Amino acid sequence: MDTDVVIAGAGPAGLMIACELATAGVATVLLEREERRPEFCRGFNLNARSLDVFARRGIADRFLAEGHKVPVTGFGGLPTPLDIGSLGWDHPFTLGIPQTRVEEILEERAIELGVDVRRGDELVTFGQDEDGVTVNGSIRAEYLVGCDGSRSAVRRLAGIAFPGTETTKYTLLGDVEADLAYGVHEGGVFVIPRPGYVRIVVADPVLDRPEPITLDVLGSIVDDAVGRPVELANPRWLTRFGNAARQAETYRRGRVLLAGDAAHIHPPAGAQGVNLAIADAMNLGWKLAAAAQGWASPELLDTYHSERHAAGARVLLHTQAQALLGGDRVGPLRELFAELSELDGVGKYLAELVTGVETCYDMGELTSHPWLGRMAPDLAVSVDGRPTSIARLLREGRGVLLDFGNRDHIALERIDVFRAEPLDETPVDAMLIRPDGHVAWLARDGREEPGPLPEALARWFGLVPA
Ligand SMILES: Cc1cc2nc3c(=O)[nH]c(=O)nc-3n(C[C@H](O)[C@H](O)[C@H](O)COP(=O)(O)OP(=O)(O)OC[C@H]3O[C@@H](n4cnc5c(N)ncnc54)[C@H](O)[C@@H]3O)c2cc1C
């Protein structure tokens, strides 16, 4: 083998998986087609869930230092934003930060950790056999991950279908200078402030547009929509995007896996894509590392598909719902939805949905505690008399068995076992936390869920009881 894993695509998904693999000590080659990152920037936010993920690797501060915190999120452009500031989350805000900076920070981190990042190197072909994959006819590795975006070559070459719905409507985007105030104008022209320019977003009345988007094209559509001539100048980026929603039929075919936009596309409502890519990466990284290092149970890598396909389907559901709420002739529905979103608990439900905080993986039938399957809260604990927290204990990217009682535990390879004192109130006596931060097992009031600890250790860490 030339390396353990090849990743195609250095967007948020590929970079985060590379960081996760390198943290686990897995040799990784990251192929990126482009010599350098484009001048334009697609997304501008990290949600609470992504910040929780970064905190569990000790890098949240790198992003927090550069962004601005907004204690609300939105749903389908409803007039009342959803409050997240009072929900008691570890990161009760959305962070405004350009996607390009997120990628630069992750790329710096990947290089720090020793990932072999090869820019200007496109994946053109690959083959797989029982023992590995061969990429571009020359790089031999155990696994290949396609993080090569919505038009993924890896997905196509692996023969993985991408079913879903076609684009029925396009939206124009222009990063320009304009004499338009921020906010929503007549004709649904949405103006978002950017440093030194604005981002204009407006429905494209033409579905089959043969010509490229120019300043004149955007200008005339904006003029028609607001009902007066608007001056636009100095375009930085002009494009249009559709409302298609598709999901790969499988996220794994043998030794080939898909993550990020390669695995799913959806309307950009609610600014999800970067965050979903990071969530996929956090789920896949440790499992792929376990498979490459030879200690994964036979089913572990398949749980990447079952867990993340289900999570992706939720995002397709709510982004499509949000896009519909922004459509024509849905005024009464929007009004009703706005009323509903202000009912007790509904705003919280929607906020947890759009930020991915609700994400809960199936840990087995006999689960009743709400923490099981969800990301463990970042409790303050004391280990050996020193104050620390769950997020800190997860920084090495290993599993954590945290025991607040006095059980006897043998030292376990692949898992850090801590006898801890809770500094925050906790309803559990012990918990097993996967490297991605999700609670896989817990004990409370003398009961173990979803079953005895050795079963959870075997399922998630390939540890066979002696
Ligand atoms: C207009 C717009 C606005 C958006 N706004 C937001 C937002 O506010 N918030 C948000 O979270 N998301 C937003 N998104 C979505 C977000 O940009 C994507 O979901 C996200 O970039 C997906 O990350 P990824 O790593 O899967 O893919 P990408 O970021 O697309 O990265 C794929 C990488 O693979 C490379 N590549 C492609 N083919 C190959 C190959 N054969 N070999 C090697 N490399 C290859 C590409 O050059 C690219 O660098 C927006 C998207 C659009 C279009």
Side-chain angles (χ1 to χ4, degrees), residues 162-343:
F162 201 39
T165 54
E166 297 286 334
T167 284
T168 54
K169 217 172 106 179
Y170 281 95
T171 303
L172 292 173
L173 180 154
D175 284 345
V176 296
E177 287 164 31
D179 62 342
L180 274 177
Y182 309 145
V184 185
H185 292 256
E186 284 300 302
V189 177
F190 196 29
V191 180
I192 305 162
R194 302 298 324 144
Y197 65 97
V198 292
R199 171 162 289 184
I200 296 183
V201 180
V202 57
D204 189 345
V206 181
L207 182 63
D208 297 317
R209 181 178 287 286
E211 77 278 16
I213 311 300
T214 60
L215 198 61
D216 285 346
V217 169
L218 178 68
S220 80
I221 291 168
V222 171
D223 291 354
D224 287 350
V226 297
R228 67 171 173 90
V230 174
E231 203 172 311
L232 306 182
N234 292 333
R236 289 159 166 81
W237 187 34
L238 298 169
T239 188
R240 67 176 199 158
F241 54 86
N243 62 349
R246 296 181 174 279
Q247 205 176 6
E249 63 175 343
T250 179
Y251 284 16
R252 176 185 182 194
R253 177 141 297 156
R255 293 180 168 274
V256 179
L257 298 116
L258 300 175
D261 280 9
H264 37 67
I265 55 165
H266 49 79
Q272 297 292 323
V274 169
N275 299 285
L276 190 55
I278 288 162
D280 284 350
M282 189 69 166
N283 187 286
L284 177 58
W286 69 279
K287 295 175 182 172
L288 191 55
Q293 288 166 339
W295 59 261
S297 67
E299 307 80 35
L300 184 67
L301 209 43
D302 286 329
T303 66
Y304 168 62
H305 167 82
S306 55
E307 292 181 346
R308 292 310 303 167
H309 193 277
R314 295 284 287 164
V315 174
L316 260 68
L317 173 79
H318 73 73
T319 51
Q320 290 180 94
Q322 293 188 67
L324 289 170
L325 276 179
D328 302 330
R329 302 178 62 188
V330 290
L333 194 59
R334 286 177 65 78
E335 209 174 309
L336 204 59
F337 229 92
E339 280 177 32
L340 287 174
S341 73
E342 290 185 30
L343 292 183

Side-chain angles (χ1 to χ4, degrees), residues 7-15 31-34 41-45 99 103 119 121-124 147-154 173 199 237 239 241 259-262 264 266 268 270-277:
I7 299 173
L15 288 164
L31 302 180
E32 167 54 51
R33 182 178 59 191
E34 305 299 328
C41 180
R42 284 176 286 171
F44 286 102
N45 75 303
Q99 176 174 343
E103 292 175 11
R119 286 197 160 267
D121 208 339
E122 180 173 2
L123 176 142
V124 180
C147 298
D148 47 346
S150 55
R151 299 198 169 97
S152 171
V154 174
L173 180 154
R199 171 162 289 184
W237 187 34
T239 188
F241 54 86
D261 280 9
H264 37 67
H266 49 79
Q272 297 292 323
V274 169
N275 299 285
L276 190 55

